[in-house]
């Protein structure tokens, strides 16, 4: 277990020169403590009108929940975004990000230190996250990291407001990286079993604040040991 600010020496991947310089970071649970987009949606439900809309549409999203929790969550997300066009959404999410970044202990200091060390070493750092792109971009910019490559979830304008267009989770992360010409990487940092496809293609898989149960589960799936770090 690596704790605090200690940073391991990355394992070099096979002969791919580009892979030897590419490092992937998940965002939520790795750099950010919690789920940033979920916090934004909860913030939207602070408005009485969205509480009323949620109550009025309860039969719909409860029915979605019968089939899939993810469908119910998406329905509630769309309700929270009702009435927001592209420009309105950008203004709302950036204002929220500007407040969020000022909260104490909202980010993992050790994670940001590790990221900045990779940048100082000349590594090609890519943020690969299920968080929505505009939100994560604003948060990183406010942290002094405005030029990072980001592969993230995306929204699109709909009839009644912004809608989920791409949910960048699980295997889709690898697919979206491949679409950008990124096929392999030296190190991948995550806190989630859902990122197993991303970890499988890494020269070194790093679990951030992983429980013993999670670490054993990931190691069994990968067939090899993972690096474990405890970040605060």
């Amino acid at each position: 277990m690596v704790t605090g600010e200690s940073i391991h020496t990355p394992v070099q991947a096979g002969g791919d020169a580009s892979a030897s310089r590419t490092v992937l970071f998940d965002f939520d649970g790795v750099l950010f403590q919690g789920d940033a987009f979920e916090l934004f949606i909860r913030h939207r439900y602070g408005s009485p009108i969205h509480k009323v809309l949620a109550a009025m549409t309860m039969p719909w999203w409860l029915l979605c929940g019968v089939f899939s929790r993810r469908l119910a969550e998406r329905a509630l997300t769309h309700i929270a975004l009702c009435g927001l066009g592209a420009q309105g959404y950008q203004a709302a999410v950036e204002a929220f990000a500007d407040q969020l970044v000022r909260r104490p202990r909202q980010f993992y200091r050790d994670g940001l230190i590790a990221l900045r060390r990779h940048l100082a070493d000349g590594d090609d750092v890519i943020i690969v996250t299920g968080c929505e792109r505009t939100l994560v971009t604003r948060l990183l910019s406010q942290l002094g990291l405005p030029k990072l490559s980001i592969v993230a979830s995306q929204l699109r304008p709909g009839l009644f407001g912004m809608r989920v267009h791409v949910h960048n989770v699980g295997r889709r992360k690898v697919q979206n990286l491949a679409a950008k010409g990124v096929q392999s990487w030296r190190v991948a940092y995550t806190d989630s079993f859902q990122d197993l496809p991303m970890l499988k293609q890494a020269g070194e898989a790093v679990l951030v604040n992983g429980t013993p149960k999670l670490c054993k589960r990931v190691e069994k799936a990968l067939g090899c040991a993972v690096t474990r770090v405890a970040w605060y």
Side-chain angles (χ1 to χ4, degrees), residues 208-222:
V208 177
N209 297 339
T211 63
K213 182 178 180 180
L214 173 62
C215 292
K216 289 179 181 178
R217 186 183 178 198
V218 171
E219 288 177 339
K220 182 178 180 181
L222 292 177

Side-chain angles (χ1 to χ4, degrees), residues 11 17 20 111 140 142 154 156 170-171 175 178 204 221:
V11 175
S20 70
L140 290 169
Q142 291 293 79
Q154 298 178 49
R156 61 175 175 80
R171 185 162 296 281
Q175 294 170 347
E204 182 178 14

Side-chain angles (χ1 to χ4, degrees), residues 21 27 35 42 45 78 83 117-118 146 149 172 184 203 206 212:
R21 307 308 308 179
F27 184 72
D35 185 319
R42 289 179 180 273
Y45 276 111
H78 289 164
R117 286 184 179 176
H118 279 295
S149 297
R172 182 156 289 186
S184 54
V206 184

